[in-house]
Amino acid sequence: MVSVGTMVWLTSELMFFAGLFAMFFTLRSSRPELWAERSGELDIFLATVITVVLVASSVTAQFGVFAAERHQPRRTGGLLSVARWGMVEWYILSFIMGAIFIAGQTYEFAVLVTHGVTISADAFGSAFYITTGFHGLHVVAGLVAFLFVIARAYFSVKFTHKEASAAVVVSYYWHFVDVVWIALFGVVYILPGLI
């Protein structure tokens, strides 16, 4: 039931992001010359690097799910013995990678602001910060969820199906956030260079 409820909730989140994409495309179609000019301000290299990091964090999160499904909350070998990591180690790595993504996104926001691209400057700034900013807030929520699941694994007397289910649900959310970013990356960073 938890998985089904999570899927229903993620569907509502998908509708939220569909609305943001619709806003982005509507504003873009009304001012194509502004989009052509402002898109050149974006740091495509940085965005590509943080995208790779975020996508890789989905892989590490899935390894955490595999460990949770084996009811292995923590590593059974040395720290460098990655093959014996448990859910906690994989989720800590996913958390670090997600934090790197947020740090990269925050850095890009700061650089854009110094170039005059602000949320109130024009339609591009509004669309850019609203779409990527809301996604960033969702990533932060995912990071908090990782911390919750990690803490739950540490403080539970026995790692049961409930703890494993919580880990799986958090991975669903994290994969969703990653897929949304891939779509945003394509629309915001790649599409302007193709058109």
Side-chain angles (χ1 to χ4, degrees):
M1 289 303 289
V2 173
S3 294
V4 171
T6 303
M7 292 298 183
V8 170
W9 174 64
L10 289 178
T11 302
S12 72
E13 287 289 299
L14 183 62
M15 294 300 105
F16 171 76
F17 278 105
L20 291 179
F21 277 103
M23 174 208 58
F24 190 89
F25 282 120
T26 300
L27 290 173
R28 185 177 187 274
S29 68
S30 68
R31 300 278 311 274
E33 70 288 344
L34 176 66
W35 250 256
E37 175 190 332
R38 291 294 199 183
S39 294
E41 301 277 340
L42 300 177
D43 188 342
I44 295 176
F45 177 75
L46 175 63
T48 302
V49 169
I50 64 174
T51 298
V52 169
V53 169
L54 191 65
V55 170
S57 75
S58 231
V59 174
T60 60
Q62 191 58 44
F63 280 118
V65 168
F66 295 150
E69 289 173 341
R70 290 190 310 267
H71 293 282
Q72 182 190 351
R74 287 181 280 291
R75 62 188 163 90
T76 58
L79 185 60
L80 298 179
S81 181
V82 176
R84 302 183 80 186
W85 277 12
M87 186 230 27
V88 168
E89 289 78 22
W90 286 113
Y91 272 23
I92 288 172
L93 182 57
S94 299
F95 175 88
I96 291 168
M97 295 168 100
I100 290 169
F101 173 84
I102 289 297
Q105 192 175 42
T106 303
Y107 174 78
E108 183 180 26
F109 284 5
V111 170
L112 287 171
V113 167
T114 63
H115 292 158
V117 181
T118 64
I119 195 167
S120 60
D122 50 40
F124 176 85
S126 296
F128 174 79
Y129 286 110
I130 289 172
T131 54
T132 60
F134 270 114
H135 176 267
L137 289 175
H138 280 75
V139 172
V140 169
L143 295 177
V144 170
F146 276 133
L147 292 177
F148 173 76
V149 170
I150 291 165
R152 188 172 176 174
Y154 268 113
F155 293 115
S156 63
V157 176
K158 183 175 175 159
F159 193 84
T160 66
H161 179 71
K162 287 183 181 180
E163 285 76 24
S165 292
V168 170
V169 165
V170 168
S171 78
Y172 289 166
Y173 178 78
W174 195 250
H175 296 321
F176 169 79
V177 167
D178 284 5
V179 168
V180 168
W181 177 254
I182 291 168
L184 272 173
F185 176 72
V187 166
V188 174
Y189 293 90
I190 302 301
L191 189 62
L194 300 176
I195 297 176

